[in-house]
Amino acid sequence: MSTAPSPAPSSRAGSGPAARTLADADTPFAVVDVHRARRNIARLRERADRLGVALRPHVKTAKSPDAALLHDGSPGPVTVSTLAEAEAFADAGHSDLTYAVGIEPHKLPRVIALARRGVTLRLLLDSTEQATFVAAAAREAGIALPTQIEIDCDGHRGGLEPDASGLTGIGRILHDAGCLDGVLTHAGESYFCRTAEEQREAARNERDAAVTAAGRLRAAGLPVATVSVGSTPTAHAADDLTGITELRAGNYVFFDLVMAGLGVCDLADLALSVVVTVIGHRPEYGWIVTDGGWMAMSRDRGTAVQAQDQGYGLVTDLSGALIPDLVMTAASQEHGTLTARNGAVLPELPIGTRLRVLPNHACATAAQHHGYHVIDGSRGTTAAPAVEAYWPRVTGW
Amino acid sequence: MSTAPSPAPSSRAGSGPAARTLADADTPFAVVDVHRARRNIARLRERADRLGVALRPHVKTAKSPDAALLHDGSPGPVTVSTLAEAEAFADAGHSDLTYAVGIEPHKLPRVIALARRGVTLRLLLDSTEQATFVAAAAREAGIALPTQIEIDCDGHRGGLEPDASGLTGIGRILHDAGCLDGVLTHAGESYFCRTAEEQREAARNERDAAVTAAGRLRAAGLPVATVSVGSTPTAHAADDLTGITELRAGNYVFFDLVMAGLGVCDLADLALSVVVTVIGHRPEYGWIVTDGGWMAMSRDRGTAVQAQDQGYGLVTDLSGALIPDLVMTAASQEHGTLTARNGAVLPELPIGTRLRVLPNHACATAAQHHGYHVIDGSRGTTAAPAVEAYWPRVTGW
C-alpha cells in the first residue's frame, strides 16, 4: 500500500482512441457541438463589448483549455473554481486567473507557487480573518497576492453585504499589504428568476451591490481596480453595467435545460449532450432503457423547480434532432429510463440505437466525464456526426 | 487537435503526494475508514455463509481493486457496472466477473477481448434480440459468452417478469450457443422499504422471482448454474435463500445515510466521508460555508424521500466524531452550506477548520473523486487520523 496518489487503473472516457464518428466510441460519452459553443460565446462577447466590460469566462463548466480557446484563439483571462483548474490553465498558457472560491490558509502554498511562476491569481475572501492571513502570507513571500472582496448581492452564498461595516477594514488590511484588487459578486439567486424582467432586476441589483461596495472602498481612500459581476442569467439580462469592469459567466458556453427553462437560451443552443445506447424495453411500463444513468448525466435535477420539469434530460437522435416528448425520467447508476409524455407514442428504437440526452445542468453533467468528443454542427446534419477532436477535462481539486 | 483521448491536464485527487494525515491533503477529498469497511464486509460475509450462498461483491460503489481485496485478500468473483471496471479488475487479477447491465452489440468486441484473456465475464440480457446477437457473436468468436437472463422482481428497471412467456425461448437460444449461465434479479425497490418487515418481504420476493424463473428454465430442459439475487437492503434482510446460488451487493462496503435511514446500518458503520474546510461564515443566516460543494458530494439527495432528510450530509469533526445537529443543507459547485437544526447552536469553527461530511449515497459521492485517502479507525481516535494508503478508483466507461 502506497500513500502516493497514482493514476486510476482505467480512465477511459467512453471511447477507444480516434473515434471517427459518434457511432464509434463506446457509450455513454459526452459530446460538444463546437459550432453551438462558438455561437454562444460570440453572443456573450458581443453583449460584453456593447456593455463596455471585459469578459472573464468561468471555466468551471467546460474545464477544458481547448474550449476556453474558442473565445479568442489564445489564452485569455479566466475564472476558476479549483486550484487544479488554476494550475492546468496556467500550464496551458493562461496568466490571469481569478479563483472565485473563498481562500483558506492550507491552499496558500499552491497559490504562492503559481504567483512565483508569474501567474496573476486573484483570490477571494470576505472576512478580516482571511485578509489577515493573506496579507501575512504576501509579506512573508515578498510578493503581491491580488485579492478581491466578495460581496453578497442576494443572500445566496458567501460575501459581505455592500454596506457591511467590516468592508473598509478588510480593504485596508489588503491594501497595506499591496493585495487589494477589487470586489466581486455573483447573483446566485438569478437561477431562480422566473421572468426576463426579474433577471434584468437581478442584474441591476448585482451591479449596484458591486458598485456600492467599490464606492465605499474608494471613499475610504482604497484603490479598486476590479469590479466584477456575473452569472449566466444576469450576464444575458444586464442592460447597463456602468461602474463594472468585468463580467464573469461560465455556463453560457454549453447552456443547458435549466438555462433554456429560464429563457436565457433556446434548446437549439445547447452545445453539450451525452450519447447513450438503448439496452432494453419495458413496453408494459412504457419504458425504453439506456446505458446512460446518473453516472453519465449526474444526479442534477435542476429543472425540477422550473415550470417544465425535464426529468434527467430531453432526448435527440444521434444527429441532434429532438425526439418530441421523449424524456429521461429515471436514472440508476448505469441505467436511464426514457418515457413519452403528453400522450406521445413511444418511438420504436431497437437495442443498439444511439441517442443523445440534453442535460439539466451542463456543469454537473460535464463533471461526470473525462473529456468531450467534439463535433461541428455547422457541417450539416448527418446520422453519425464526425468527431473532430477529443478535449480532455481538468478534474479533481 | 487530436481525436485520441489523452490524460486530463490535471487529475489531482485533492492531494499532494504522500499525505501523512487528514490534515495534510488539500480539501475536498474522499476518505475511507478501512476498519469500518472490513467490519461491514465481515457482517455480510457471515450472513452469506449462514444463508449458504456465495457473495459476489458489486464493485460499482468503491470501484477500487484495493477495497475489493478487503473481502478475501485475493481477487475473487465480483460484479461490475461498466466494461472499464471489468478491464481494470481483470488487470488486477479478478477472473470471474458479472457485468450487470444489459448488453448491446457495440460492446461485444471488448467483451470478447476479455474472454480471450481467459476472464469469465458473465453478461446480462432480457430480450430475444440480445440473446440472438450474443449467441451469434459467441459462435463467430468460437468461445462461450456465459450469459444471465435478467428477471424483474419489482418493476424497478430491466428484466423479464418471472412468468414472462419469452423466458424459455431466450434460454434456449443461449443454451444452444453454449452461453446460458443462469438468472439474475435485483430488488431495486428495496431502497424504498420503510420497515424491516418490508425489507424481509422484498428479499423473499426477490428470491422467489429468481427461483421461479430458474425453475421454468430447468423445466424446459435448460441447465441453470447461477441463480443470483441482491441489493444491499435485501442482502441484509434475507432470512432464507433456498434455491439461490449467490448474493450480490455493493453499497455495504461503505454504507451511507440512505442505508442508515433504512435501518440497514448505523451511522457508526459509515466508512466513506469527504474532508472539507471552513472558508466562511454568514452568522446573519446561521451558515458556515465550506469548500465542499456538490462537486465533492454529488447532487444525490437520497434521504430527501426518507423520514429524516439529511440534506447533503451529516458533519463530523476531522477525527470522525459527529457534530450533533450540524447538517450540510445546501451546495453549489464548490461551496457547501452547513446549518444547525433542532434549535442547536451553530458551533464556532474558524476558517481553516477541517470537517468530514457523511454522504447520502456512497456510490454517487465516491464517483466524484479519483481515489480515497485510507485511514484505520481501529487505531483509536486522533484529531488528525493518519493516512495509511491512497486507493485509486476506476473511472469512465
Side-chain angles (χ1 to χ4, degrees):
Chain A
M1 294 202 301
S2 150
T3 58
S6 56
S10 170
S11 58
R12 292 168 181 275
S15 145
R20 287 176 305 109
T21 77
L22 295 189
D24 292 334
D26 282 359
T27 55
F29 61 91
V31 172
V32 167
D33 182 337
V34 70
H35 175 60
R36 292 182 178 193
R38 280 203 186 95
R39 199 174 59 197
N40 296 338
I41 288 168
R43 177 181 164 204
L44 190 59
R45 167 72 75 199
E46 188 273 330
R47 278 192 64 79
D49 288 350
R50 186 152 35 88
L51 291 162
V53 293
L55 178 61
R56 181 186 288 272
H58 200 321
V59 299
K60 80 186 180 79
T61 305
K63 292 205 186 203
S64 156
D66 299 290
L69 280 181
L70 298 179
H71 285 81
D72 299 295
S74 63
V78 296
T79 315
V80 300
S81 69
T82 65
L83 290 179
E85 288 167 42
E87 290 158 348
F89 277 78
D91 291 347
H94 294 261
S95 58
D96 181 1
L97 313 171
T98 298
Y99 174 41
V101 176
I103 190 68
E104 51 95 8
H106 201 283
K107 300 200 176 85
L108 287 173
R110 286 166 72 188
V111 167
I112 290 168
L114 279 163
R116 290 207 164 121
R117 288 171 59 181
V119 173
T120 299
L121 179 66
R122 299 167 203 273
L123 304 178
L124 190 65
L125 54 76
D126 64 359
S127 69
T128 304
E129 196 177 347
Q130 289 163 300
T132 304
F133 69 66
V134 166
R139 286 196 177 95
E140 190 184 316
I143 49 176
L145 297 174
T147 300
Q148 297 172 1
I149 303 174
E150 185 172 9
I151 305 301
D152 174 21
C153 65
D154 58 8
H156 184 71
R157 202 159 64 196
L160 292 164
E161 294 186 17
D163 60 356
S165 59
L167 176 67
T168 50
I170 293 170
R172 176 71 59 194
I173 295 167
L174 293 173
H175 176 67
D176 289 352
C179 295
L180 179 61
D181 178 45
V183 296
L184 175 151
T185 191
H186 167 64
E189 283 300 304
S190 67
Y191 293 85
F192 306 97
C193 290
R194 287 168 183 274
T195 65
E197 182 49 34
E198 281 179 27
Q199 286 164 18
R200 268 191 298 278
E201 195 46 53
R204 289 177 197 134
N205 178 63
E206 186 183 46
R207 171 202 63 198
D208 290 346
V211 169
T212 298
R216 288 186 58 216
L217 290 165
R218 288 172 180 143
L222 301 167
V224 173
T226 302
V227 186
S228 178
V229 296
S231 76
T232 287
T234 54
H236 290 79
D239 50 7
D240 178 352
L241 290 180
T242 304
I244 300 301
T245 65
E246 70 171 23
L247 195 57
R248 303 179 329 280
N251 184 284
Y252 68 96
V253 175
F254 289 165
F255 283 132
D256 53 29
L257 292 174
V258 166
M259 288 299 145
L262 287 170
V264 178
C265 66
D266 294 326
L267 290 180
D269 296 323
L270 270 56
L272 177 72
S273 59
V274 177
V275 178
V276 303
T277 300
V278 173
I279 62 168
H281 302 92
R282 297 301 304 270
E284 64 275 44
Y285 295 113
W287 296 346
I288 295 168
V289 182
T290 77
D291 66 356
W294 57 251
M295 188 65 84
M297 297 304 298
S298 90
R299 271 291 195 200
D300 201 293
R301 289 277 291 98
T303 58
V305 297
Q306 294 189 328
Q308 175 68 69
D309 183 344
Q310 307 284 27
Y312 281 92
L314 298 183
V315 183
T316 78
D317 66 18
L318 196 57
S319 81
L322 202 68
I323 302 177
D325 292 316
L326 190 62
V327 185
M328 179 174 163
T329 42
S332 49
Q333 188 160 338
E334 298 292 350
H335 296 79
T337 303
L338 312 183
T339 59
R341 68 180 170 195
N342 298 328
V345 175
L346 204 63
E348 288 201 20
L349 301 171
I351 286 169
T353 303
R354 293 188 167 214
L355 302 166
R356 286 158 64 186
V357 184
L358 302 171
N360 278 291
H361 187 179
C363 309
T365 299
Q368 302 298 108
H369 298 269
H370 282 281
Y372 312 102
H373 285 73
V374 179
I375 62 172
D376 184 346
S378 70
R379 302 196 175 208
T381 304
T382 58
V387 174
E388 311 280 334
Y390 181 85
W391 290 349
R393 271 177 60 86
V394 183
T395 57
W397 289 270
Chain B
M1 292 202 301
S2 151
T3 58
S6 56
S10 171
S11 59
R12 293 169 180 275
S15 146
R20 287 176 306 109
T21 77
L22 296 189
D24 293 332
D26 282 358
T27 56
F29 61 91
V31 172
V32 167
D33 182 338
V34 70
H35 175 60
R36 293 182 177 192
R38 281 203 186 96
R39 199 173 59 196
N40 297 337
I41 288 168
R43 177 181 164 203
L44 191 59
R45 168 71 76 196
E46 189 273 330
R47 279 192 64 79
D49 289 349
R50 186 152 35 88
L51 292 162
V53 294
L55 178 61
R56 182 186 288 274
H58 201 320
V59 300
K60 79 186 181 78
T61 305
K63 294 207 186 201
S64 154
D66 299 290
L69 280 182
L70 298 180
H71 285 82
D72 300 294
S74 62
V78 296
T79 316
V80 301
S81 69
T82 65
L83 290 179
E85 288 167 41
E87 291 158 347
F89 278 78
D91 291 347
H94 294 260
S95 58
D96 181 359
L97 314 171
T98 298
Y99 173 42
V101 177
I103 190 69
E104 52 95 7
H106 201 283
K107 299 199 176 85
L108 287 173
R110 286 166 72 187
V111 167
I112 291 167
L114 280 165
R116 290 207 165 121
R117 287 172 59 179
V119 173
T120 299
L121 179 66
R122 300 167 203 274
L123 304 179
L124 189 66
L125 55 74
D126 65 358
S127 69
T128 304
E129 194 177 349
Q130 290 165 299
T132 304
F133 68 66
V134 166
R139 286 197 177 94
E140 190 182 316
I143 49 176
L145 297 174
T147 300
Q148 299 172 359
I149 303 174
E150 185 171 11
I151 306 300
D152 174 21
C153 65
D154 58 8
H156 185 71
R157 200 158 64 197
L160 292 164
E161 294 187 15
D163 61 356
S165 60
L167 176 68
T168 53
I170 292 169
R172 177 70 59 195
I173 295 167
L174 293 173
H175 177 66
D176 289 352
C179 294
L180 179 61
D181 176 46
V183 296
L184 175 150
T185 192
H186 166 64
E189 283 300 302
S190 68
Y191 294 85
F192 305 98
C193 289
R194 286 169 184 273
T195 66
E197 181 49 35
E198 280 179 26
Q199 286 164 19
R200 270 191 297 278
E201 196 46 52
R204 290 179 196 132
N205 177 63
E206 186 183 46
R207 172 201 64 198
D208 291 347
V211 169
T212 298
R216 289 185 59 216
L217 289 164
R218 288 172 181 143
L222 300 166
V224 173
T226 302
V227 186
S228 178
V229 297
S231 75
T232 286
T234 55
H236 289 79
D239 49 7
D240 178 351
L241 290 180
T242 305
I244 299 301
T245 66
E246 71 171 23
L247 194 57
R248 303 179 330 280
N251 185 283
Y252 69 97
V253 175
F254 290 164
F255 283 131
D256 53 30
L257 292 174
V258 166
M259 289 298 146
L262 288 170
V264 177
C265 66
D266 294 324
L267 289 181
D269 297 322
L270 270 56
L272 177 72
S273 59
V274 176
V275 179
V276 304
T277 300
V278 173
I279 61 168
H281 302 92
R282 297 300 304 269
E284 63 274 44
Y285 294 113
W287 297 346
I288 295 169
V289 182
T290 77
D291 65 356
W294 57 252
M295 187 66 84
M297 296 304 298
S298 91
R299 271 290 195 200
D300 201 293
R301 288 277 292 102
T303 58
V305 297
Q306 295 188 329
Q308 174 67 69
D309 183 343
Q310 307 284 27
Y312 281 93
L314 298 184
V315 183
T316 79
D317 65 19
L318 195 58
S319 81
L322 202 68
I323 301 178
D325 292 315
L326 190 63
V327 185
M328 179 174 162
T329 42
S332 50
Q333 187 160 339
E334 300 291 351
H335 296 79
T337 304
L338 312 183
T339 60
R341 69 180 170 196
N342 298 326
V345 175
L346 203 64
E348 288 200 21
L349 301 171
I351 285 171
T353 303
R354 293 188 166 214
L355 302 166
R356 286 159 63 186
V357 184
L358 301 171
N360 277 291
H361 186 178
C363 309
T365 299
Q368 302 298 107
H369 298 268
H370 282 282
Y372 311 102
H373 285 72
V374 179
I375 62 171
D376 184 346
S378 71
R379 303 196 174 208
T381 304
T382 57
V387 174
E388 310 279 336
Y390 181 84
W391 290 350
R393 272 177 59 87
V394 182
T395 56
W397 290 268

